[in-house]
Amino acid sequence: MKRHLRFLQAVLATLLLWCALPAFAAELPPLSLADAKSKQAVMLDTRASHFYQGWPMEGESQGGHVAGAESLSADWKYSNDEWPKALESKGLTADRPVALYGAPREVAEVARLLRKQGIKQLFELQGWQAAPREHLVRWQQLVYPGWLADLQEGKPVAAAPTGDWKLFEVDWGSPKAYLLSHIPGAGYIDTNRLEEEPLWNKVSDEALKTLLLENGIRHDTTVILYGRNTMAAARAAHLMMYAGVQDVRLLDGGLDAWFVQHLRTETGLPNKFEPVKEFGVAIPAHPEYYTTLDQAKALLKQPDSALVSVRTWDEFIGNTSGYSYIKPKGDIPGAKWGRGGVDANSMSDFHNPDGTMKPAGEILTMWDQWNIEPTQQAAFYCGTGWRASEAFFYAWLMDWKRISVYDGGWYEWSSDPKNPTVTGERQPAK
């Protein structure tokens, strides 16, 4: 309830602020796309991130963002401590011109915020609607609340499922929070049905198949997943893709994104879908998405590869294990740091302030610092698989070809004292 109240307060504050905004957008001098390029201006997309990622706005024939533009949505709220890092990630400096585009109020709000940060050379980009666009390769797999609500109501939507579709909330344990509030029509998947003790690796292929069939999921069913923590939904997404579900989608920003839009919720027991008898293809259809301990060790010896630790810096250097039930501290020698978040329950390094996926370019820049490249054979891991699954899904959205999750992660690796470990500060290899 407290989280819901905070979101309601934030939304109310935003509405009051926007109602009081002066017409800053009208004050911004216009700048053509050609002039923006000649001045080496930073182009800023002030719209919601799903439009930047690839979803078309109403009346548009194409989605995505102006080629080369950065994303800074008017909906985002940065703290004073967060602004310097945000400006740096988008190349914003006081001596560089900035060309903003979007709806007038969106442009006005971002212009106001940038002025407070000392960014003065502000322009309004002209002709952006007809400019060449870029987008996330698999933008259709990262859905947003308005799209899902329209789909539920039977309205025409872009990138609609071609056949049967089902919606699930994914979380650990019994559906206590689900009972109090969930997206209408959603089923419920307990991650205990996806992974098992002692190491929280995935269940057997037969057990995974049983879960899918019980929930009416075939290989050709469109499955839309969301979580109160997107990592849980990503864990399910990865294993469904491993099994062979062809069309798996995540609600970007999770359930919080739904709450912010004031969309309808329900209370009560999970929706039960009609079971199916056959999955339709042999499981696993994509064994290459899954990496074992022995395969992880072999990967470390391959020159064109990356074993990617999706953990906090403190976990990576051995200040903490990250988990109450994992005692050893440190990481795998030769692993590359793929970033994570503030703790083992966070993927904030990959998220915009509203919890949606950062632009692909920012994630690529982050990974490039540790020589993690799209052409490599990359296996992502964390403590037990949740964070790694989200990093895997984002890489897949960017169309990385050779990716997997090392399911055992640090828990499995550190449970055998014969496996080497490393602690302390270190830098990426040249």
Side-chain angles (χ1 to χ4, degrees):
M1 292 298 292
K2 289 182 180 179
R3 177 162 51 179
H4 298 178
L5 181 60
R6 287 198 301 270
F7 275 112
L8 289 173
Q9 291 171 336
V11 170
L12 180 59
T14 300
L15 290 174
L16 291 173
L17 176 64
W18 280 28
C19 287
L21 278 176
F24 279 135
E27 298 177 8
L28 296 182
L31 192 68
S32 69
L33 186 63
D35 286 342
K37 292 180 178 179
S38 67
K39 292 176 179 290
Q40 296 185 322
V42 178
M43 293 181 290
L44 275 188
D45 190 328
T46 66
R47 304 172 301 161
S49 60
H50 52 266
F51 294 132
Y52 180 92
Q53 297 286 26
W55 291 93
M57 297 174 60
E58 185 176 355
E60 280 191 326
S61 59
Q62 63 172 341
H65 55 274
V66 173
E70 303 287 342
S71 178
L72 205 165
S73 173
D75 297 331
W76 297 345
K77 304 301 175 189
Y78 291 105
S79 68
N80 290 335
D81 292 338
E82 292 170 334
W83 265 111
K85 187 176 180 180
L87 296 175
E88 181 183 3
S89 69
K90 300 173 193 306
L92 297 168
T93 59
D95 59 352
R96 190 175 180 185
V98 181
L100 298 86
Y101 69 89
R105 284 195 174 275
E106 294 168 336
V107 170
E109 170 65 354
V110 174
R112 182 187 71 85
L113 293 171
L114 292 179
R115 283 192 178 100
K116 290 180 66 176
Q117 299 302 318
I119 308 297
K120 305 298 185 183
Q121 296 187 61
L122 300 174
F123 300 86
E124 187 172 10
L125 187 66
Q126 302 296 297
W128 63 271
Q129 294 93 336
R133 302 285 184 95
E134 296 175 334
H135 56 76
L136 186 64
V137 176
R138 291 191 170 103
W139 57 268
Q140 303 95 328
Q141 311 307 126
L142 196 65
V143 307
Y144 65 98
W147 179 90
L148 179 56
D150 286 345
L151 179 68
Q152 289 178 316
E153 294 178 10
K155 297 179 180 179
V157 293
T162 56
D164 181 39
W165 65 272
K166 292 178 172 64
L167 172 69
F168 295 91
E169 178 172 321
V170 187
D171 206 348
W172 179 82
S174 59
K176 296 178 181 178
Y178 176 101
L179 295 175
L180 298 176
S181 182
H182 58 266
I183 298 177
Y188 183 81
I189 293 177
D190 178 0
T191 57
N192 285 311
R193 298 290 305 279
L194 297 168
E195 53 189 15
E196 59 187 356
E197 296 184 275
L199 298 175
W200 299 110
N201 286 355
K202 79 168 187 67
V203 296
S204 69
D205 291 346
E206 191 59 36
L208 180 59
K209 179 179 180 180
T210 297
L211 172 66
L212 297 173
L213 297 182
E214 284 179 3
N215 284 282
I217 300 173
R218 288 175 41 86
H219 74 287
D220 52 0
T221 303
T222 294
V223 179
I224 304 168
L225 303 168
Y226 74 91
R228 291 162 201 273
N229 187 324
T230 297
M231 293 187 299
R235 178 65 159 155
H238 167 252
L239 291 178
M240 288 184 184
M241 292 165 63
Y242 159 85
V245 180
Q246 297 171 350
D247 186 6
V248 179
R249 310 193 190 193
L250 284 187
L251 176 61
D252 198 16
L255 186 60
D256 285 347
W258 187 269
F259 289 148
V260 166
Q261 296 299 317
H262 298 286
L263 294 167
R264 188 170 66 89
T265 59
E266 289 182 339
T267 61
L269 295 172
N271 184 24
K272 294 292 185 181
F273 295 104
E274 186 71 25
V276 292
K277 294 182 179 180
E278 296 294 338
F279 184 65
V281 298
I283 294 177
H286 290 286
E288 71 276 12
Y289 288 163
Y290 188 90
T291 289
T292 65
L293 173 61
D294 288 341
Q295 289 171 331
K297 291 179 177 179
L299 200 66
L300 288 168
K301 300 176 183 178
Q302 298 175 14
D304 185 26
S305 65
L307 189 60
V308 183
S309 178
V310 186
R311 307 173 73 203
T312 66
W313 180 248
D314 279 343
E315 288 174 274
F316 187 66
I317 66 174
N319 288 342
T320 177
S321 74
Y323 303 80
S324 61
Y325 52 87
I326 300 178
K327 301 307 178 185
K329 301 175 184 178
D331 217 306
I332 300 173
K336 301 179 180 183
W337 187 46
R339 307 291 287 267
V342 296
D343 56 35
N345 292 310
S346 167
M347 282 288 281
S348 56
D349 290 345
F350 293 81
H351 293 163
N352 298 313
D354 60 355
T356 55
M357 176 187 169
K358 277 186 176 179
E362 293 186 28
I363 295 176
L364 290 173
T365 297
M366 191 169 66
W367 281 344
D368 185 63
Q369 294 170 358
W370 276 79
N371 303 316
I372 303 165
E373 305 294 341
T375 57
Q376 294 171 337
Q377 181 77 44
F380 301 94
Y381 73 93
C382 53
T384 61
W386 285 34
R387 288 175 287 178
S389 295
E390 189 167 340
F392 166 90
F393 195 81
Y394 291 159
W396 179 74
L397 292 177
M398 293 186 281
D399 200 29
W400 286 35
K401 303 296 186 183
R402 301 190 295 159
I403 52 173
S404 64
V405 171
Y406 165 38
D407 192 22
W410 177 243
Y411 198 6
E412 180 179 56
W413 186 279
S414 64
S415 66
D416 185 349
K418 296 179 182 178
N419 290 329
T421 62
V422 62
T423 60
E425 299 276 342
R426 51 197 183 278
Q427 298 297 322
K430 298 294 184 181

